[in-house]
C-alpha cells in the first residue's frame, strides 16, 4: 500500500486537499495526548529520528522533539554549529553519513530553498521539511490550518490575509497553498518591496493598505519581519513599518468584525504586531504552538506508515 | 586519416554553404588542408591517391564555430582543459571555438593569450581562439592591453562571467577596440538588480522561494551597450541573450545601423524556467532560463537574424559542485556536444528555421561576426568541415561526453541530429563510431 502522504513531507503545494485534511484529522486525536499526565504513546517505539537543524530554531525544533518523544521515537538533535557541517561537509555527505547509521526519519531545517527536497531525493529515510530557505514550512502551514479550522469550523470560503514579508517567508507560501487547497480565499498585505513581483499569479488578493486587509479578512496571519530586511534596503525603517503596516488595536477596532490573529513567532512586538493585539482576546498565537505538536505527531505517524483510520486507536493506552 | 598531399573526397553529401548560397548534392574535394573544389556530378573517378568518404544522406557544411565557451584552463584543469574542451568541441561538430578569459589567472595579457593559443594548437582538435579580458583581472577598473593581446592571437575582448558595471569602462573599451577591429563581447547584467539571484524572477521563483533575476537586469545593459556602440562606433557583441525585451532592443539598434551583434545559446532556445522543476541545478545558469514568451522571441530572432548566431556558453563544472543546494550551486552547463542536436530538435524539426539557416547561425555568421577563418566552403578556404546526419536520433548520455563536464539538462533526452565527422584544416579530428 502506498503511504497516504508518500515518503516525505516537503511542501504543501504538491499535496491534495484530501491529504491535507487527512493530516489535520489525524492531528485531532493526538491533541489529547499532550493533555495527559503521562504524555506518551508507543506508536513510534524503535524508530530513530534525526532533527537536522542547519538554522537556529527553538520553537520548531522543540515542537518536533516533543512530537517525536510523545510517540516514543528515539531522537538525536544535530545543529549546524555542533556538526561537521561547520567543518565544510556538504549537505549530501551529511545526509549519506546519517543514512549509513540506519535512521528512519530526518527532520531538516535549512537556509537554502529546496534543501529538504535535495535530501529526500538522496536518502531512503522519510524526510520532513521543517523550513527550507524562503520556500516552504509545511508543518507550520498545517498547524495554522488546524488552528483556523478549530475556530472557523471550515475554511471553505473563509477570507484569510497573510500580512508582512511574504517575499522572504516560507510560512507565507505554505499558508497560501494550504489555505487555497482547503477552499479559503487568501489575501496578502505588505509593502510591495516585500511581496514577490509575481504575487498575484499565485492566486491571491493583494492589499496595499493594512486597513483594507483588515476590513476584508476574517483572520490575519501576521508574519515576523526579519530585522535584517531594513539593512538590505527593502523598507526604510521599522518605525515606519509599524506605523503603516503594523497590526494595532486601533486598526482592529475599526474592523467590521472580530478578527482571529495568528503569528508564527517569534514576534517583534511593536513592529509587525502590537503587544495588546498579540496578548489580546482574539489572539490564537499560543494555540498555534499547542497545535504544532499535534500536527507534527500526525505527520510523523502518517509518514511512518500508521494507518490513517487508526490514529484514534494509536492514542489508546499510555506507554506500556 | 588524411596524409599530407592526399586529396579527400567527401562524396555524395548534401553540401550546404550559405556563404555562397550553395545547397546541392555532390562531392567536396579537399587537398592540402584547403577546399579544392565542389563537384555536383558524383561518381567521377579521382585516381588512387584519393581518400573517399561516403557522405550520402549526410549534410556537409562549413565547420561550426562557437564564439563563447569556457575551457577553464588555466586554473580549473580538474573540470576542463583546453585539450578536453577542444575535443568536446570537435565531437560537437565545432571546428573552432573562442575561449572566454575568465580563467584563473584571468587571460588579460599577451602572455596569457599566447598560452591559450599554444595549448589549443597542442590539443590538435578544434581550433581554439583566445578572447582577452576587457579589464585587468576582469575587475572592471583598468583596460587590459587589447593591442598586445590581439597581437598574440586574441580575436575579441570580454569580461564574460562578470558584467562591465561601469558605463565609462564600456565606452572606453568600445572606442579602444575599434583600433584593432575586434568586437567587445558583453555579459549583460546590471549587477545590483541581479545580486543574489538564482533564477528568472517570476511566478516560478515566487513558488520555489528562490531569489529572482528580473529580465530588466539584462535589458538595461543591452540598451546601455547599444547606445554606447552608437556613441562610439564600436562593435558590441551581446552574449547569451535571454529575454524578449532584449530582442526588441537589439532589433531597435540594428534598424538604426548601430554596430550590435548578438548570440543566443541552445538552452535559451529550448528550455524555460520550468526545467528547474524540483531545484535541478543542471538547469541553473546565468542568464537564467526564462519563460515561454522569451524562448519564442529568441527563436524568432535567430530566424530573422536579429540574433546573429548561436553560441554555447559551454561552462563545465565538477559534478559535486552542482550536487548541492540550488542557490549555492555554480551557474552554467556544458553545451558543446549537444548544441547541434538542440538546435535541430527545437528549431529545425519544428520548421522554425531551415537547415541552411542553422549552418549560417552556427558557422557562417560566427566567422563573419568575429572575423575568423572558416565559415565557408569556397575554393581555397581552410578545409574546416562538419558532416552531420540531420535525421539521426540519439539519447544524450553525459557520461560519454568528451568534455570533463557532465552538467547537462539534456541527459536522458532523445534528440535529433548527430555529428558524424569533424574536419579541421583537412584533418579528421572527430569521427562518430558506428
Amino acid at each position: 500500500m502506498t503511504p497516504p502522504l508518500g515518503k516525505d513531507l516537503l511542501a504543501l503545494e504538491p499535496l491534495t486537499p484530501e491529504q491535507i485534511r487527512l493530516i489535520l484529522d489525524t492531528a485531532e486525536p493526538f491533541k489529547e495526548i499532550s493533555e495527559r499526565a503521562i504524555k506518551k504513546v508507543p506508536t513510534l517505539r524503535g524508530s530513530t529520528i534525526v532533527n537536522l537543524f542547519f538554522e537556529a530554531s527553538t520553537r520548531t525544533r522543540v515542537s518536533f522533539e516533543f512530537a517525536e518523544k510523545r510517540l516514543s521515537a528515539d531522537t538525536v538533535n544535530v545543529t549546524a554549529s555542533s556538526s561537521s557541517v561547520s567543518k565544510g561537509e556538504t549537505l549530501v555527505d551529511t545526509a549519506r553519513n546519517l543514512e549509513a547509521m540506519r535512521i528512519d526519519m530526518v527532520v531538516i531545517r535549512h537556509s537554502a530553498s529546496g534543501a529538504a527536497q535535495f535530501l529526500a531525493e538522496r536518502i531512503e529515510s522519510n524526510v520532513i521539511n521543517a523550513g527550507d530557505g524562503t520556500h516552504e514550512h509545511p508543518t507550520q502551514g498545517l498547524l495554522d490550518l488546524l488552528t483556523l479550522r478549530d475556530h472557523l469550523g471550515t475554511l471553505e470560503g473563509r477570507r484569510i490575509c497573510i500580512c508582512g514579508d511574504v517575499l522572504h517567508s516560507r510560512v507565507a507560501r505554505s499558508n497560501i497553498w494550504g489555505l487555497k487547497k482547503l477552499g479559503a480565499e487568501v489575501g496578502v498585505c505588505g509593502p510591495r518591496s516585500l511581496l514577490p513581483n509575481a504575487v498575484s499569479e499565485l492566486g491571491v488578493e493583494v492589499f496595499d493598505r493594512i486597513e483594507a486587509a483588515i476590513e476584508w479578512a476574517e483572520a490575519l496571519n501576521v508574519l515576523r519581519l526579519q530585522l535584517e530586511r531594513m539593512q538590505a534596503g527593502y523598507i526604510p525603517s521599522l518605525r515606519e513599518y509599524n506605523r503603516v503596516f503594523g497590526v494595532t488595536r486601533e486598526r482592529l477596532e475599526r474592523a467590521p468584525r472580530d478578527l482571529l490573529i495568528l503569528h508564527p513567532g517569534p514576534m517583534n512586538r511593536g513592529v509587525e504586531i502590537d503587544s495588546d493585539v498579540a496578548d489580546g482576546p482574539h489572539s490564537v498565537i499560543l494555540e498555534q504552538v499547542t497545535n504544532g505538536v499535534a500536527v507534527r505527531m500526525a505527520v510523523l505517524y502518517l509518514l511512518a506508515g500508521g494507518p490513517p483510520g487508526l490514529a484514534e486507536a494509536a492514542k489508546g493506552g499510555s506507554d506500556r | 586519416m588524411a596524409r599530407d598531399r592526399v586529396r579527400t573526397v567527401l562524396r555524395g553529401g548534401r553540401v550546404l554553404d550559405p556563404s555562397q548560397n550553395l545547397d546541392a548534392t555532390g562531392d567536396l574535394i579537399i587537398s592540402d588542408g584547403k577546399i579544392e573544389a565542389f563537384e555536383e556530378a558524383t561518381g567521377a573517378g579521382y585516381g588512387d591517391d584519393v581518400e573517399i568518404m561516403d557522405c550520402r544522406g549526410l549534410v556537409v557544411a562549413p565547420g561550426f564555430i562557437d564564439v563563447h565557451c569556457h575551457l577553464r584552463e588555466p586554473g580549473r584543469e580538474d573540470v576542463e582543459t583546453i585539450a578536453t574542451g577542444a575535443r568536446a568541441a570537435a565531437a560537437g561538430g565545432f571546428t573552432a571555438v573562442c575561449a572566454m578569459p575568465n580563467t584563473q589567472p584571468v587571460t588579460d595579457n599577451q602572455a596569457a593569450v599566447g598560452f591559450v593559443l599554444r595549448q589549443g594548437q597542442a590539443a590538435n582538435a578544434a581550433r581554439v581562439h583566445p578572447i582577452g579580458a576587457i579589464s585587468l583581472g576582469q575587475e572592471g577598473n583598468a583596460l587590459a592591453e587589447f593591442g598586445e593581446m590581439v597581437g598574440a592571437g586574441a580575436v575579441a575582448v570580454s569580461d564574460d562571467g562578470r558584467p562591465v558595471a561601469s558605463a565609462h569602462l564600456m565606452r572606453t573599451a568600445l572606442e579602444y577596440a575599434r583600433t584593432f577591429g575586434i568586437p567587445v563581447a558583453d555579459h549583460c547584467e546590471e549587477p545590483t538588480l541581479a545580486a543574489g539571484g538564482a533564477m528568472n524572477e517570476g511566478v516560478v521563483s515566487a513558488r520555489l522561494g528562490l531569489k529572482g533575476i528580473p529580465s530588466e537586469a539584462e535589458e538595461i545593459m543591452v540598451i546601455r551597450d547599444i547606445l554606447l556602440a552608437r556613441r562610439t562606433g564600436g562593435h558590441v557583441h551581446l552574449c547569451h541573450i535571454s529575454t524578449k525585451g532584449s530582442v526588441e532592443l537589439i532589433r531597435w539598434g540594428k534598424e538604426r545601423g548601430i554596430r550590435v551583434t548578438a548570440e543566443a545559446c541552445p538552452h535559451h532556445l529550448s528550455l524555460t524556467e520550468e526545467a528547474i522543476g524540483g531545484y535541478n541545478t543542471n538547469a541553473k545558469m546565468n542568464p537564467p532560463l526564462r519563460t515561454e514568451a522569451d524562448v519564442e522571441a529568441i527563436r524568432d530572432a535567430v530566424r530573422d537574424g536579429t540574433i546573429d548566431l548561436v553560441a554555447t556558453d559551454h561552462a563545465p563544472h565538477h559534478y559535486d559542485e552542482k550536487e548541492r543546494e540550488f542557490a549555492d550551486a555554480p551557474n552554467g552547463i556544458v553545451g558543446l556536444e549537444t548544441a547541434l542536436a538542440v538546435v535541430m530538435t527545437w528549431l529545425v524539426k519544428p520548421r522554425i528555421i531551415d537547415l541552411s539557416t542553422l549552418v549560417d547561425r552556427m558557422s557562417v555568421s560566427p566567422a563573419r561576426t568575429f572575423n575568423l577563418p572558416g565559415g565557408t566552403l569556397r575554393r581555397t578556404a581552410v578545409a574546416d568541415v562538419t558532416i552531420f546526419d540531420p535525421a539521426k536520433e540519439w539519447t544524450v548520455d553525459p557520461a560519454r561526453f568528451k568534455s570533463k563536464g557532465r552538467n547537462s539538462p539534456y541527459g536522458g533526452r532523445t534528440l535529433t541530429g548527430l555529428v558524424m565527422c569533424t574536419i579541421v584544416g583537412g584533418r579528421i579530428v572527430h569521427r562518430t563510431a558506428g
Side-chain angles (χ1 to χ4, degrees), chain A residues 13 90-92 96 110 112-115 117-118 121-122 132-136 173 177 196-199 201-202 234, chain B residues 195 201-211 214 276-281 319-320 322-328:
Chain A
E13 187 182 3
T90 63
L91 180 55
V92 68
R96 286 180 186 141
H110 197 286
S113 299
Q117 180 169 345
F118 179 91
E121 286 167 355
R122 282 159 184 80
D132 63 326
T134 57
H135 176 226
E136 283 218 37
R173 284 166 182 74
W177 303 124
N197 188 252
V199 65
E201 291 176 58
L202 299 176
Y234 287 96
Chain B
E201 178 174 322
V203 68
V204 181
S205 68
R207 270 175 41 220
L208 294 175
L210 292 171
K211 186 159 189 325
I276 291 166
Y279 304 95
N280 176 10
T281 57
Y319 78 91
D320 58 11
K322 280 282 196 181
E323 181 76 357
R324 56 178 314 168
E325 302 88 313
F326 192 89
D328 298 336

Side-chain angles (χ1 to χ4, degrees), chain A residues 35-66:
Chain A
E35 305 301 327
R36 295 180 187 174
I38 298 171
K39 302 175 176 59
K40 203 154 192 158
V41 292
T43 314
L44 292 185
R45 194 150 61 188
S47 285
T48 317
I49 303 178
V50 175
N51 297 315
L52 189 55
F53 278 66
F54 293 91
E55 261 189 352
S57 159
T58 304
R59 186 177 317 234
T60 303
R61 190 179 55 73
V62 170
S63 179
F64 265 109
E65 202 173 343
F66 275 133

Side-chain angles (χ1 to χ4, degrees), chain A residues 183-213:
Chain A
E185 290 178 45
V186 182
V188 297
C189 176
R192 289 280 177 165
S193 52
L194 289 176
L195 300 180
N197 188 252
V199 65
S200 55
E201 291 176 58
L202 299 176
V204 297
E205 194 89 10
V206 183
F207 296 96
D208 283 312
R209 304 307 301 261
I210 189 74
E211 293 82 1

Side-chain angles (χ1 to χ4, degrees), chain B residues 257-292:
Chain B
I258 299 167
R259 289 181 72 199
V260 51
T261 55
E263 71 192 32
C265 302
H267 44 273
H268 291 130
L269 291 164
S270 56
L271 304 175
T272 69
E273 58 185 356
E274 301 286 346
I276 291 166
Y279 304 95
N280 176 10
T281 57
N282 280 333
K284 183 182 180 190
M285 70 286 290
N286 188 17
L289 297 174
R290 305 281 187 183
T291 67
E292 191 60 44

